[in-house]
Amino acid sequence: MSRLRLALAQMNPTVGDLDGNTASIIHYLEEARAAGADLAAFPELAVCGYPPEDLLLKPAFIAANRAAVARIAPHTRGLTAVVGFAERRADLHNAAAILHDGAWAATYRKQRLPNYGVFDELRYFKPGRGEILFQVAGAWVGVSVCEDIWLPGGPVARLARAGADLIVNINASPFHRDKWRARHRMLATRASDHAVALAYVNQVGGQDELVFDGDSMVLGADGNVRAEAPLFEEHLLLADVELEEVFRARLHDPRGRHTGRRQPESVTRVALEPIEESRPERPPVAPRQPVRHDDLEETYRALVLGTHDYVRKNGFSGVVLGLSGGVDSSLVAAIAVDALGAEAVTGVSLPSRYSSEGSRTDAQALADNLGVRMLTLPIEASFEALLGTLAGTFRDLPVGVAEENIQARIRGVLLMALSNKFGWMLLTTGNKSEVAVGYSTLYGDMAGGFAVIKDVPKLLVYELCRWRNAQQDAELIPTSVLTKPPSAELRPDQTDQDSLPPYEVLDPILERYVEDDWSVRELVAAGHEESVVRRIVRLVDRSEYKRRQSAPGIKITPRAFGKDRRLPITSGYREP
């Protein structure tokens, strides 16, 4: 039976690191060749990293990225490779270079350019025109780039009509919770509808707010997954595509006969010179166990990988964060240790006159469980000094939010001082529920370089803590942290519910308003109390100015604040 061996390089590129990305591509080409691969495929824009954003407006960057492809080409001796890069012609294209046996044979240009959510491709690229088919190991192979395959029809359908046995789809598809289901369903539909084998290769790693989970896979013409790469780690996925299986699927599927098999005029067949070197008999690639998808595990791993790559790719040796004894800082500390190692994490207790003894002991217990260094910097003296400075100005005025926020800002000043002195990146610990309604202090608990759980709703924070505890026999995050009422502890006996509805009420309202754009009337019709809904909507809308000044954080929901959700700060619109 004729067989094509695929090698899908699920690599972790760094945006702008042309030399590093090139070296990684060459490394995987050598691995693919050693494994007897006929065809190797790399992610979308693998050479320059994704998303390169306004680096694409620099002609020197475009030229250097193209030169990198030319340096890669000689390393494809003995095989064929598909490598993503940015191509300059009369305009700019998101492109895939087809490199064959040491030479640059052809270039495909992405046709469908996403311009929604976190994607801004129409800002930079011009849509390509026309498809490419080339023959490798007896198989006709077509190339597509990410969005080309996400919608029915288009270049993938034309390649199938032209007789493609295999379609390679190179991707930079970021993670969000439960996305894998839609991805698998879509790919299975494309493969079975067109009776064609599919190779989907996706990048892995963190890039600013985005995390890429990989999940590269090969599907047969029946839509079933034949091989799938592990999530959240670099991997060279090897798989054999049995060409007779593809042909047999077409024989048994009459749907293609109704659409006709006439060669679409947009498809160009590229003749590749046969590779002369003899290839020894290759035993079949051993089958891999299917990936077991778990929502909480994947969310946690996305947060770990995003934290690791943001800190390391930006050149920091360690991180610092305030440990309050609360659930948010506990989760961030656990993520940081899993991402960077305990030796790279420093926790700081910043007790005030309002800090409970339980919060102090919980923070210390967490630090002990994680094995991290713990510093204690009381803020009482600083608080007294600032109150004294403001005493005349604040005379005869009631104590309130200003005094509460002074404490948060003192903590921010001290944490940033440690960051400056020791070169540690400061991690903020606010969750999505707080970020949404502005339950945070500018230049206080919002101060920092990276907001690890910025897109994690409060109820999910608790779920992730319990999941992490369940991964080991010993208790990591103290049970008392998970059972006590959450509190900022900025005034006597304060709890979050003094200012907000219970999170069991708040989070469902926020999800529907922020992520699904439900109206007030729809939320009320769904059973939520109107006064509560209107108050929450007002808080969300009024807090946009705070979010614009917050640190970047990891996207794990379908619609994160920032690039996903863009609303004006100054707006006269109010829901009726």
PDB file of all heavy atoms in Angstrom, residues 548-571:
ATOM      1  N   ARG A 548      -8.124  49.493  30.548  1.00  0.00           N
ATOM      2  CA  ARG A 548      -7.136  49.963  29.573  1.00  0.00           C
ATOM      3  C   ARG A 548      -5.762  50.151  30.205  1.00  0.00           C
ATOM      4  O   ARG A 548      -4.749  50.166  29.517  1.00  0.00           O
ATOM      5  CB  ARG A 548      -7.592  51.295  28.971  1.00  0.00           C
ATOM      6  CG  ARG A 548      -8.850  51.225  28.142  1.00  0.00           C
ATOM      7  CD  ARG A 548      -8.611  50.636  26.756  1.00  0.00           C
ATOM      8  NE  ARG A 548      -9.844  50.709  25.978  1.00  0.00           N
ATOM      9  CZ  ARG A 548     -10.153  51.722  25.165  1.00  0.00           C
ATOM     10  NH1 ARG A 548      -9.302  52.728  25.020  1.00  0.00           N
ATOM     11  NH2 ARG A 548     -11.286  51.716  24.505  1.00  0.00           N
ATOM     12  N   GLN A 549      -5.711  50.336  31.514  1.00  0.00           N
ATOM     13  CA  GLN A 549      -4.450  50.586  32.199  1.00  0.00           C
ATOM     14  C   GLN A 549      -3.920  49.354  32.922  1.00  0.00           C
ATOM     15  O   GLN A 549      -2.927  49.437  33.649  1.00  0.00           O
ATOM     16  CB  GLN A 549      -4.636  51.724  33.213  1.00  0.00           C
ATOM     17  CG  GLN A 549      -5.085  53.028  32.570  1.00  0.00           C
ATOM     18  CD  GLN A 549      -5.301  54.116  33.593  1.00  0.00           C
ATOM     19  OE1 GLN A 549      -4.355  54.598  34.208  1.00  0.00           O
ATOM     20  NE2 GLN A 549      -6.544  54.503  33.790  1.00  0.00           N
ATOM     21  N   SER A 550      -4.558  48.212  32.717  1.00  0.00           N
ATOM     22  CA  SER A 550      -4.154  47.006  33.435  1.00  0.00           C
ATOM     23  C   SER A 550      -3.067  46.261  32.681  1.00  0.00           C
ATOM     24  O   SER A 550      -2.862  46.452  31.473  1.00  0.00           O
ATOM     25  CB  SER A 550      -5.362  46.095  33.651  1.00  0.00           C
ATOM     26  OG  SER A 550      -5.882  45.651  32.415  1.00  0.00           O
ATOM     27  N   ALA A 551      -2.380  45.395  33.394  1.00  0.00           N
ATOM     28  CA  ALA A 551      -1.335  44.577  32.786  1.00  0.00           C
ATOM     29  C   ALA A 551      -1.956  43.565  31.826  1.00  0.00           C
ATOM     30  O   ALA A 551      -3.109  43.172  31.982  1.00  0.00           O
ATOM     31  CB  ALA A 551      -0.555  43.849  33.879  1.00  0.00           C
ATOM     32  N   PRO A 552      -1.203  43.123  30.821  1.00  0.00           N
ATOM     33  CA  PRO A 552      -1.720  42.058  29.951  1.00  0.00           C
ATOM     34  C   PRO A 552      -1.900  40.781  30.751  1.00  0.00           C
ATOM     35  O   PRO A 552      -1.223  40.547  31.755  1.00  0.00           O
ATOM     36  CB  PRO A 552      -0.620  41.897  28.892  1.00  0.00           C
ATOM     37  CG  PRO A 552       0.624  42.419  29.539  1.00  0.00           C
ATOM     38  CD  PRO A 552       0.168  43.523  30.457  1.00  0.00           C
ATOM     39  N   GLY A 553      -2.842  39.963  30.311  1.00  0.00           N
ATOM     40  CA  GLY A 553      -3.098  38.704  30.995  1.00  0.00           C
ATOM     41  C   GLY A 553      -3.521  37.633  30.016  1.00  0.00           C
ATOM     42  O   GLY A 553      -3.837  37.917  28.855  1.00  0.00           O
ATOM     43  N   ILE A 554      -3.551  36.402  30.473  1.00  0.00           N
ATOM     44  CA  ILE A 554      -3.732  35.243  29.592  1.00  0.00           C
ATOM     45  C   ILE A 554      -5.201  35.070  29.212  1.00  0.00           C
ATOM     46  O   ILE A 554      -6.083  35.001  30.076  1.00  0.00           O
ATOM     47  CB  ILE A 554      -3.218  33.968  30.283  1.00  0.00           C
ATOM     48  CG1 ILE A 554      -1.748  34.133  30.659  1.00  0.00           C
ATOM     49  CG2 ILE A 554      -3.406  32.748  29.383  1.00  0.00           C
ATOM     50  CD1 ILE A 554      -1.245  33.107  31.640  1.00  0.00           C
ATOM     51  N   LYS A 555      -5.455  34.972  27.933  1.00  0.00           N
ATOM     52  CA  LYS A 555      -6.807  34.734  27.419  1.00  0.00           C
ATOM     53  C   LYS A 555      -7.143  33.248  27.551  1.00  0.00           C
ATOM     54  O   LYS A 555      -6.444  32.397  27.000  1.00  0.00           O
ATOM     55  CB  LYS A 555      -6.880  35.148  25.948  1.00  0.00           C
ATOM     56  CG  LYS A 555      -8.132  34.695  25.205  1.00  0.00           C
ATOM     57  CD  LYS A 555      -8.029  35.062  23.735  1.00  0.00           C
ATOM     58  CE  LYS A 555      -9.054  34.323  22.876  1.00  0.00           C
ATOM     59  NZ  LYS A 555     -10.436  34.717  23.171  1.00  0.00           N
ATOM     60  N   ILE A 556      -8.234  32.955  28.281  1.00  0.00           N
ATOM     61  CA  ILE A 556      -8.691  31.563  28.353  1.00  0.00           C
ATOM     62  C   ILE A 556     -10.185  31.433  28.070  1.00  0.00           C
ATOM     63  O   ILE A 556     -10.713  30.320  28.021  1.00  0.00           O
ATOM     64  CB  ILE A 556      -8.337  30.911  29.716  1.00  0.00           C
ATOM     65  CG1 ILE A 556      -8.976  31.654  30.884  1.00  0.00           C
ATOM     66  CG2 ILE A 556      -6.833  30.802  29.903  1.00  0.00           C
ATOM     67  CD1 ILE A 556     -10.199  31.022  31.429  1.00  0.00           C
ATOM     68  N   THR A 557     -10.888  32.563  27.888  1.00  0.00           N
ATOM     69  CA  THR A 557     -12.306  32.502  27.538  1.00  0.00           C
ATOM     70  C   THR A 557     -12.478  32.930  26.084  1.00  0.00           C
ATOM     71  O   THR A 557     -11.581  33.544  25.496  1.00  0.00           O
ATOM     72  CB  THR A 557     -13.142  33.434  28.437  1.00  0.00           C
ATOM     73  OG1 THR A 557     -12.789  34.800  28.170  1.00  0.00           O
ATOM     74  CG2 THR A 557     -12.924  33.123  29.906  1.00  0.00           C
ATOM     75  N   PRO A 558     -13.631  32.626  25.480  1.00  0.00           N
ATOM     76  CA  PRO A 558     -13.826  33.025  24.082  1.00  0.00           C
ATOM     77  C   PRO A 558     -13.766  34.532  23.863  1.00  0.00           C
ATOM     78  O   PRO A 558     -13.473  34.977  22.760  1.00  0.00           O
ATOM     79  CB  PRO A 558     -15.226  32.473  23.753  1.00  0.00           C
ATOM     80  CG  PRO A 558     -15.418  31.345  24.699  1.00  0.00           C
ATOM     81  CD  PRO A 558     -14.730  31.772  25.961  1.00  0.00           C
ATOM     82  N   ARG A 559     -14.044  35.331  24.932  1.00  0.00           N
ATOM     83  CA  ARG A 559     -14.026  36.778  24.737  1.00  0.00           C
ATOM     84  C   ARG A 559     -13.393  37.442  25.952  1.00  0.00           C
ATOM     85  O   ARG A 559     -14.045  37.743  26.943  1.00  0.00           O
ATOM     86  CB  ARG A 559     -15.438  37.316  24.515  1.00  0.00           C
ATOM     87  CG  ARG A 559     -15.419  38.696  23.863  1.00  0.00           C
ATOM     88  CD  ARG A 559     -16.787  39.095  23.395  1.00  0.00           C
ATOM     89  NE  ARG A 559     -16.727  40.322  22.627  1.00  0.00           N
ATOM     90  CZ  ARG A 559     -17.691  41.236  22.608  1.00  0.00           C
ATOM     91  NH1 ARG A 559     -18.782  41.055  23.320  1.00  0.00           N
ATOM     92  NH2 ARG A 559     -17.562  42.312  21.875  1.00  0.00           N
ATOM     93  N   ALA A 560     -12.105  37.675  25.842  1.00  0.00           N
ATOM     94  CA  ALA A 560     -11.357  38.304  26.925  1.00  0.00           C
ATOM     95  C   ALA A 560     -11.413  39.822  26.781  1.00  0.00           C
ATOM     96  O   ALA A 560     -11.627  40.359  25.689  1.00  0.00           O
ATOM     97  CB  ALA A 560      -9.906  37.830  26.903  1.00  0.00           C
ATOM     98  N   PHE A 561     -11.201  40.525  27.884  1.00  0.00           N
ATOM     99  CA  PHE A 561     -11.065  41.982  27.810  1.00  0.00           C
ATOM    100  C   PHE A 561      -9.792  42.320  27.041  1.00  0.00           C
ATOM    101  O   PHE A 561      -8.770  41.643  27.162  1.00  0.00           O
ATOM    102  CB  PHE A 561     -11.001  42.587  29.208  1.00  0.00           C
ATOM    103  CG  PHE A 561     -12.298  42.533  29.955  1.00  0.00           C
ATOM    104  CD1 PHE A 561     -12.416  41.797  31.130  1.00  0.00           C
ATOM    105  CD2 PHE A 561     -13.415  43.215  29.489  1.00  0.00           C
ATOM    106  CE1 PHE A 561     -13.617  41.747  31.830  1.00  0.00           C
ATOM    107  CE2 PHE A 561     -14.619  43.165  30.178  1.00  0.00           C
ATOM    108  CZ  PHE A 561     -14.721  42.430  31.349  1.00  0.00           C
ATOM    109  N   GLY A 562      -9.851  43.380  26.272  1.00  0.00           N
ATOM    110  CA  GLY A 562      -8.672  43.784  25.501  1.00  0.00           C
ATOM    111  C   GLY A 562      -8.942  43.649  24.020  1.00  0.00           C
ATOM    112  O   GLY A 562      -9.874  44.262  23.490  1.00  0.00           O
ATOM    113  N   LYS A 563      -8.154  42.818  23.341  1.00  0.00           N
ATOM    114  CA  LYS A 563      -8.302  42.687  21.891  1.00  0.00           C
ATOM    115  C   LYS A 563      -9.636  42.068  21.493  1.00  0.00           C
ATOM    116  O   LYS A 563     -10.179  42.364  20.434  1.00  0.00           O
ATOM    117  CB  LYS A 563      -7.164  41.838  21.338  1.00  0.00           C
ATOM    118  CG  LYS A 563      -5.815  42.518  21.379  1.00  0.00           C
ATOM    119  CD  LYS A 563      -4.766  41.649  20.712  1.00  0.00           C
ATOM    120  CE  LYS A 563      -3.417  42.334  20.728  1.00  0.00           C
ATOM    121  NZ  LYS A 563      -2.384  41.516  20.063  1.00  0.00           N
ATOM    122  N   ASP A 564     -10.149  41.164  22.341  1.00  0.00           N
ATOM    123  CA  ASP A 564     -11.427  40.526  22.017  1.00  0.00           C
ATOM    124  C   ASP A 564     -12.596  41.491  22.157  1.00  0.00           C
ATOM    125  O   ASP A 564     -13.481  41.541  21.312  1.00  0.00           O
ATOM    126  CB  ASP A 564     -11.668  39.346  22.968  1.00  0.00           C
ATOM    127  CG  ASP A 564     -11.095  38.044  22.437  1.00  0.00           C
ATOM    128  OD1 ASP A 564     -10.959  37.906  21.224  1.00  0.00           O
ATOM    129  OD2 ASP A 564     -10.773  37.177  23.254  1.00  0.00           O
ATOM    130  N   ARG A 565     -12.612  42.243  23.257  1.00  0.00           N
ATOM    131  CA  ARG A 565     -13.749  43.111  23.574  1.00  0.00           C
ATOM    132  C   ARG A 565     -13.264  44.550  23.641  1.00  0.00           C
ATOM    133  O   ARG A 565     -12.528  44.928  24.532  1.00  0.00           O
ATOM    134  CB  ARG A 565     -14.366  42.699  24.913  1.00  0.00           C
ATOM    135  CG  ARG A 565     -15.665  43.420  25.260  1.00  0.00           C
ATOM    136  CD  ARG A 565     -16.179  42.933  26.617  1.00  0.00           C
ATOM    137  NE  ARG A 565     -17.507  43.427  26.922  1.00  0.00           N
ATOM    138  CZ  ARG A 565     -17.760  44.588  27.532  1.00  0.00           C
ATOM    139  NH1 ARG A 565     -16.754  45.373  27.903  1.00  0.00           N
ATOM    140  NH2 ARG A 565     -18.996  44.954  27.792  1.00  0.00           N
ATOM    141  N   ARG A 566     -13.665  45.356  22.671  1.00  0.00           N
ATOM    142  CA  ARG A 566     -13.138  46.713  22.546  1.00  0.00           C
ATOM    143  C   ARG A 566     -14.301  47.709  22.591  1.00  0.00           C
ATOM    144  O   ARG A 566     -15.045  47.851  21.626  1.00  0.00           O
ATOM    145  CB  ARG A 566     -12.373  46.867  21.231  1.00  0.00           C
ATOM    146  CG  ARG A 566     -11.386  45.738  20.962  1.00  0.00           C
ATOM    147  CD  ARG A 566     -10.704  45.903  19.622  1.00  0.00           C
ATOM    148  NE  ARG A 566     -10.066  44.670  19.189  1.00  0.00           N
ATOM    149  CZ  ARG A 566      -9.351  44.558  18.083  1.00  0.00           C
ATOM    150  NH1 ARG A 566      -9.199  45.607  17.283  1.00  0.00           N
ATOM    151  NH2 ARG A 566      -8.800  43.409  17.750  1.00  0.00           N
ATOM    152  N   LEU A 567     -14.431  48.368  23.708  1.00  0.00           N
ATOM    153  CA  LEU A 567     -15.488  49.358  23.865  1.00  0.00           C
ATOM    154  C   LEU A 567     -14.877  50.713  24.190  1.00  0.00           C
ATOM    155  O   LEU A 567     -13.803  50.793  24.804  1.00  0.00           O
ATOM    156  CB  LEU A 567     -16.452  48.941  24.982  1.00  0.00           C
ATOM    157  CG  LEU A 567     -17.310  47.710  24.695  1.00  0.00           C
ATOM    158  CD1 LEU A 567     -18.162  47.372  25.899  1.00  0.00           C
ATOM    159  CD2 LEU A 567     -18.189  47.931  23.476  1.00  0.00           C
ATOM    160  N   PRO A 568     -15.548  51.785  23.800  1.00  0.00           N
ATOM    161  CA  PRO A 568     -15.008  53.116  24.104  1.00  0.00           C
ATOM    162  C   PRO A 568     -15.072  53.418  25.596  1.00  0.00           C
ATOM    163  O   PRO A 568     -15.994  52.980  26.290  1.00  0.00           O
ATOM    164  CB  PRO A 568     -15.918  54.057  23.309  1.00  0.00           C
ATOM    165  CG  PRO A 568     -17.195  53.295  23.129  1.00  0.00           C
ATOM    166  CD  PRO A 568     -16.800  51.857  23.029  1.00  0.00           C
ATOM    167  N   ILE A 569     -14.080  54.151  26.070  1.00  0.00           N
ATOM    168  CA  ILE A 569     -14.119  54.619  27.460  1.00  0.00           C
ATOM    169  C   ILE A 569     -15.187  55.691  27.612  1.00  0.00           C
ATOM    170  O   ILE A 569     -16.008  55.662  28.529  1.00  0.00           O
ATOM    171  CB  ILE A 569     -12.739  55.163  27.878  1.00  0.00           C
ATOM    172  CG1 ILE A 569     -11.705  54.035  27.878  1.00  0.00           C
ATOM    173  CG2 ILE A 569     -12.816  55.815  29.258  1.00  0.00           C
ATOM    174  CD1 ILE A 569     -10.287  54.519  28.113  1.00  0.00           C
ATOM    175  N   THR A 570     -15.174  56.641  26.707  1.00  0.00           N
ATOM    176  CA  THR A 570     -16.157  57.726  26.718  1.00  0.00           C
ATOM    177  C   THR A 570     -17.336  57.329  25.844  1.00  0.00           C
ATOM    178  O   THR A 570     -17.197  57.186  24.627  1.00  0.00           O
ATOM    179  CB  THR A 570     -15.529  59.027  26.187  1.00  0.00           C
ATOM    180  OG1 THR A 570     -14.354  59.315  26.943  1.00  0.00           O
ATOM    181  CG2 THR A 570     -16.522  60.171  26.264  1.00  0.00           C
ATOM    182  N   SER A 571     -18.485  57.092  26.455  1.00  0.00           N
ATOM    183  CA  SER A 571     -19.651  56.624  25.708  1.00  0.00           C
ATOM    184  C   SER A 571     -20.917  57.114  26.392  1.00  0.00           C
ATOM    185  O   SER A 571     -21.064  56.987  27.618  1.00  0.00           O
ATOM    186  CB  SER A 571     -19.652  55.096  25.627  1.00  0.00           C
ATOM    187  OG  SER A 571     -20.863  54.629  25.082  1.00  0.00           O
TER     188      SER A 571
END
